[in-house]
Amino acid sequence: MIVSGSRLRQIGWAAVLALCLGLFLALSFRVHAVKSAVLLAERQIVELERETLVLETEFQARASQRQLANWNVVEFGYLAPRADQYLQGERQLASLGSPQAPGAPAPIRIARAQLEDGSAPAVIRDREMVSPISGAPVTLASADSADAPTAMFADAFEDFLIEASPIRAAQARTGSASVLSSQAAEAAE
């Protein structure tokens, strides 16, 4: 089979086009490789600049430490602390305190509940809630109602609210002393 001239030209142009496309791809890969190398070099430059800044800062800090040490010795007369100047614990620190002078204000103390006889209770008992205005005891609505289903619902809802409340110490609940003292023990834990 003999190939005609026009067919031969078409094959030639296709080969030239394929060669140009191959050269274009090779050149673009080379450009991307050089671009990646440039970006890597820029990152290394930034990292070295940061390291240089850290080293300069450390050098300045050490130079100022020498200057401060010179000032402490010459100007102020300060010395580094010795091992015998450290305290062993809270008792040794408390022994360094001076007694209160006459007329000095009383130290702040932690508030504690006391029983009627003046002693501190082992577990703080819950007291009945009283109105801050009148001082009269506050009772729940469920305790006053005579309707059993309504009272049962109110008690269940009250229990739900008490358990859901993040503030356990301020319970508005009436009950026996053993239940209240166990609840106070749970709240203390």
Side-chain angles (χ1 to χ4, degrees):
M1 175 168 141
I2 299 179
V3 179
S4 68
S6 100
R7 184 84 175 142
L8 193 57
R9 269 189 245 129
Q10 287 178 352
I11 292 174
W13 281 114
V16 168
L17 186 61
L19 179 67
C20 288
L21 183 63
L23 289 174
F24 175 75
L25 287 176
L27 181 63
S28 69
F29 285 144
R30 181 68 181 151
V31 167
H32 285 297
V34 170
K35 191 175 183 180
S36 296
V38 168
L39 286 175
L40 181 63
E42 286 177 353
R43 287 182 187 152
Q44 289 175 343
I45 289 171
V46 168
E47 184 179 327
L48 290 173
E49 286 175 348
R50 288 181 182 168
E51 187 177 340
T52 303
L53 183 62
V54 167
L55 291 173
E56 287 175 353
T57 304
E58 185 176 347
F59 178 76
Q60 290 174 355
R62 289 185 182 200
S64 66
Q65 285 178 352
R66 278 191 230 118
Q67 182 64 39
L68 288 174
N70 289 338
W71 284 345
N72 284 339
V73 171
V74 175
E75 300 287 332
F76 305 120
Y78 295 146
L79 298 174
R82 300 181 311 272
D84 63 336
Q85 291 177 319
Y86 289 100
L87 300 177
Q88 298 298 323
E90 294 87 9
R91 291 183 187 265
Q92 191 175 8
L93 178 64
S95 70
L96 295 176
S98 60
Q100 285 189 338
I108 298 173
R109 300 185 186 269
I110 297 173
R112 293 189 180 139
Q114 294 184 351
L115 296 176
E116 287 78 22
D117 61 358
S119 63
V123 176
I124 299 173
R125 295 182 292 170
D126 284 346
R127 297 182 183 163
E128 288 187 30
M129 291 186 59
V130 294
S131 170
I133 298 172
S134 65
V138 176
T139 57
L140 296 174
S142 64
D144 292 337
S145 68
D147 190 21
T150 308
M152 196 167 74
F153 174 75
D155 287 338
F157 188 68
E158 174 189 357
D159 290 339
F160 170 75
L161 287 178
I162 289 172
E163 289 173 7
S165 173
I167 304 171
R168 301 256 184 227
Q171 294 180 354
R173 185 176 207 183
T174 59
S176 65
S178 63
V179 172
L180 293 177
S181 62
S182 66
Q183 290 172 352
E186 289 174 7
E189 292 173 1

